[in-house]
Amino acid sequence: MLADTHCHLDMLKNMEVALERARTAGVGLIITIGIDLESSQKAVEIAHQYDYVWAAVGIHPHEAKTVREQTYKELEALAQDPKVVAIGEIGLDFYRNLSPKEVQIRVFKRQIELAKALAKPIIIHCREAIPETWSVLEETDGFCCRGVWHCFPGDVNLAQRCMKKGFYISIPGIVTFPKAERLRRVVKETPLEWLLIETDAPFLAPVPMRGKPNEPAFLRYTAQKVAEIKECELNEVARTTTQNACKLFGINIS
Ligand SMILES: [Zn+2]
Ligand SMILES: [Zn+2]
């Protein structure tokens, strides 16, 4: 059984059909992620419709500029839901800079404080902002939340630093792309016990689906690539990464 630890089910064109295909492809656990209040609300609703779907609620750095004081209150209320397993996705994106940098940092810090108060793990989004993200985590003692660095953007060195702090490394479909040598090295050098896998659907479809809208069923290609790199069976990748997800997010599956 595979666990898709990061996707945006509310953004899929035909979610129900995609979920059927996911089940057929062996995806038995899905975490659907919020990027603003509205999508966080939807994530919670979807998680209540399907017993194998859980939710994360949070404000993406792109949306940081829309945050008001009230936003944190509503987010906190949403996060109390029993199907909410994490605060995310939160972080910094200095590649697209859709919100001013200082606003992104402020909103990131506040959400780390929220995660600490609620004792929930965090799901980090980081693009072109590795040193800044690390500094925020140190300043806020955000590492104590535990969590995952989603769509891992770093090298082996960063992966090792994350692991030492109790953070998981999440491997997206990019690992199948011809140019993703650095990410494949991360997979090679990181113990399976510290890896998660994700689709980030509807974005970033893996080869051979690259260019199409991504969906959780395509997680299989990413899992296969990880197995190939680690020279182990697909089953072992599936079992271990699912166990990791259950452990981090406190999910019990029978
Ligand atoms: Zn992201
Ligand atoms: Zn995402």
Side-chain angles (χ1 to χ4, degrees):
M1 187 186 105
L2 297 166
D4 186 354
T5 56
H6 191 113
C7 69
H8 301 273
L9 289 180
D10 61 305
M11 294 186 202
L12 301 187
K13 278 240 164 66
N14 194 336
M15 182 185 74
E16 262 176 58
V17 177
L19 283 174
E20 269 169 42
R21 281 195 293 261
R23 297 292 277 177
T24 310
V27 180
L29 190 167
I30 295 175
I31 299 176
T32 188
I33 312 288
I35 56 162
D36 57 14
L37 263 187
E38 197 190 342
S39 64
S40 294
Q41 175 78 53
K42 275 191 196 148
V44 175
E45 279 168 24
I46 296 166
H48 277 279
Q49 283 167 38
Y50 301 92
D51 57 3
Y52 55 93
V53 177
W54 282 264
V57 299
I59 313 294
H60 191 286
H62 289 345
E63 309 299 330
K65 60 180 181 291
T66 67
V67 169
R68 304 286 170 266
E69 200 52 36
Q70 182 63 19
T71 314
Y72 299 115
K73 294 201 180 80
E74 290 180 39
L75 202 59
E76 183 169 5
L78 262 185
Q80 312 282 347
D81 189 283
K83 286 219 88 176
V84 173
V85 293
I87 301 299
E89 55 187 299
I90 62 175
L92 303 174
D93 193 315
F94 295 170
Y95 177 70
R96 295 188 62 197
N97 269 321
L98 296 185
S99 289
K101 286 184 182 180
E102 62 280 10
V103 177
Q104 291 190 38
I105 291 171
R106 191 170 68 227
V107 172
F108 184 26
K109 285 182 176 170
R110 283 290 296 269
Q111 294 184 97
I112 291 173
E113 294 306 332
L114 178 63
K116 281 161 74 177
L118 298 172
K120 300 247 188 232
I122 55 179
I123 297 172
I124 294 174
H125 169 103
C126 168
R127 211 165 163 202
E128 304 276 314
I130 291 171
E132 294 86 352
T133 300
W134 194 269
S135 302
V136 168
L137 286 166
E138 276 187 330
E139 274 173 46
T140 54
D141 195 23
F143 291 113
C144 74
C145 299
R146 305 185 76 231
V148 52
W149 203 303
H150 119 81
C151 196
F152 191 70
D155 57 9
V156 172
N157 180 275
L158 181 69
Q160 283 171 348
R161 285 159 63 207
C162 283
M163 267 163 32
K164 281 196 193 116
K165 296 286 192 182
F167 266 64
Y168 288 83
I169 314 299
S170 187
I171 305 300
I174 293 173
V175 73
T176 65
F177 295 2
K179 283 186 180 163
E181 216 35 70
R182 189 178 63 182
L183 186 57
R184 282 190 286 274
R185 274 200 61 81
V186 168
V187 172
K188 182 100 198 149
E189 302 296 328
T190 306
L192 204 46
E193 284 65 31
W194 284 100
L195 294 181
L196 299 176
I197 51 175
E198 64 170 64
T199 58
D200 206 7
F203 313 106
L204 297 172
V207 173
M209 298 301 177
R210 194 172 178 181
K212 291 186 185 170
N214 200 1
E215 57 178 71
F218 299 167
L219 186 63
R220 179 158 287 270
Y221 301 109
T222 302
Q224 260 155 4
K225 180 56 82 178
V226 169
E228 194 184 297
I229 296 165
K230 297 204 88 65
E231 298 175 53
C232 69
E233 296 290 324
L234 175 62
N235 270 343
E236 195 185 335
V237 171
R239 190 178 57 244
T240 309
T241 56
T242 300
Q243 275 170 5
N244 297 343
C246 290
K247 198 169 145 195
L248 174 62
F249 296 115
I251 294 171
N252 270 318
I253 38 168
S254 36

